[in-house]
Amino acid sequence: MSSSQQPDPRDRPARLAVGVVGAGRVGPALAASLQLAGHRPVAVSAVSDTSRRRAGLMLPDVPVLPPADVLERSDLVLLTVPDDTLPGLVAGLAETGAVRPGQLLVHTSGRYGAKVLDPALRVGALPLALHPAMTFTGTPVDVQRLAGCSFGVTAPEELRLAAEALVIEMGGEPEWIAEETRPLYHAALALGANHLVTLVAQSMELLREAGVEAPDRMLGPLLGAALDNALRSGDAALTGPVARGDAGTVAAHVAELRRHAPQTVAGYLAMARATADRALARGLLKPELAEDLLEVLAGGPNLPENGEDR
């Protein structure tokens, strides 16, 4: 069936009443996406003025209520709170009788699997862990970005199909993550996405210091190509002075960073060492050049450039 023949989701009867506990950047976006799939957001909890405004923007006309009232109205509850808050929230909701038997309880934490929902499971709830591997802005653009987004899915075997169906309805792609590997899965995503933001922000600051008027415009094509190459080729995409063994260039970098941005030196050295190890293991960095390079990275003398071509 072509896209022009697809029925409008608004023409389908609402199937699940959806509640959101925690109107951060993630919950309202997921609820809005589920609404497009024919479900019905019925309540949201929000504490700060910012979260209340976000709820009003993403879920207009949906009442803001205390968490217990959100659960009372909902068949499907999205628990979209910070990781450290989640275990206590689940325990409290279960202990106070807010959780109903048969109620779908979904959390979006990358760190935790389904076991964090065990207190609710013991009172009859259906536990699902659905973590979208995406950064969120708290604006309607997030709903569009969910199209094709991978979700880390963890749930009891009997609920796996339900979990995957919800992800697909939100436009995402389900990826099954075992309970015991959730922390490793989340660490991998944080290593790539969170640290990337820090690296890009530092790079833009240094370019401004060097006199570049539009560092974002300069970095955009470069970083886009680097990311594409890395996703396609992994370590084979490594380039630059570390992978080439240009110890003198790296030494000059470190000297300039110490002079202009000493707070970036530790990060530069750590990433350069990791890059050197991977380039050496991959055969990209010649062993005879690695010794001088590693000496620089260990705080050795500033060495002249080795003359290798780019």
Side-chain angles (χ1 to χ4, degrees):
M1 182 181 290
S2 68
S3 59
S4 61
Q5 297 174 309
Q6 293 284 355
D8 189 327
R10 292 171 296 184
D11 295 334
R12 301 202 300 261
R15 287 165 289 160
L16 292 173
V18 178
V20 180
V21 176
R25 297 180 180 183
V26 178
L30 298 188
S33 183
L34 287 169
Q35 185 174 34
L36 291 177
H39 301 289
R40 182 170 54 95
V42 293
V44 57
S45 72
V47 177
S48 69
D49 291 340
T50 299
S51 61
R52 287 176 176 271
R53 286 193 296 270
R54 185 182 296 117
L57 172 66
M58 301 290 291
L59 301 171
D61 303 322
V62 175
V64 176
L65 300 172
D69 293 341
V70 172
L71 268 71
E72 183 179 2
R73 296 183 176 207
S74 305
D75 305 312
L76 165 64
V77 183
L78 300 172
L79 302 178
T80 51
V81 297
D83 288 358
D84 289 349
T85 303
L86 182 61
L89 173 66
V90 175
L93 292 172
E95 289 170 3
T96 58
V99 180
R100 301 197 312 273
Q103 194 169 44
L104 284 164
L105 219 56
V106 177
H107 80 71
T108 59
S109 166
R111 170 185 172 187
Y112 292 109
K115 285 190 176 299
V116 72
L117 299 173
D118 276 356
L121 174 65
R122 287 192 286 270
V123 295
L126 307 178
L128 308 175
L130 308 180
H131 174 251
M134 177 57 63
T135 60
F136 289 81
T137 65
T139 66
V141 71
D142 293 335
V143 179
Q144 302 170 19
R145 287 180 174 175
L146 287 174
C149 167
S150 291
F151 280 66
V153 178
T154 305
E157 186 63 31
E158 62 272 18
L159 294 177
R160 179 169 177 163
L161 290 179
E164 292 180 342
L166 285 172
V167 170
I168 291 170
E169 285 189 318
M170 289 185 281
E173 296 286 342
E175 185 73 39
W176 187 256
I177 308 295
E179 181 79 33
E180 63 271 16
T181 62
R182 289 289 290 206
L184 178 61
Y185 152 81
H186 195 226
L189 295 179
L191 182 66
N194 300 157
H195 296 174
L196 176 63
V197 174
T198 300
L199 291 172
V200 172
Q202 287 183 340
S203 182
M204 288 199 295
E205 289 172 357
L206 293 171
L207 286 172
R208 291 190 189 97
E209 180 75 12
V212 175
E213 293 185 0
D216 54 339
R217 188 166 66 239
M218 177 175 283
L219 285 174
L222 173 65
L223 297 183
L227 177 59
D228 184 63
N229 291 342
L231 291 174
R232 292 174 183 271
S233 305
D235 287 334
L238 284 171
T239 62
V242 173
R244 291 193 302 270
D246 289 344
T249 298
V250 173
H253 288 176
V254 175
E256 285 300 296
L257 293 176
R258 285 195 174 115
R259 183 177 301 114
H260 294 283
Q263 73 279 6
T264 67
V265 172
Y268 180 95
L269 291 173
M271 290 303 300
R273 291 188 195 104
T275 300
D277 289 343
R278 298 185 76 89
L280 191 59
R282 191 69 164 73
L284 301 172
L285 175 59
K286 299 176 182 178
E288 62 268 24
L289 299 177
E291 184 176 352
D292 287 346
L293 175 65
L294 294 175
E295 185 178 2
V296 170
L297 297 178
N302 291 352
L303 299 172
E305 294 190 40
N306 60 32
E308 286 284 309
D309 291 335
R310 289 177 177 273

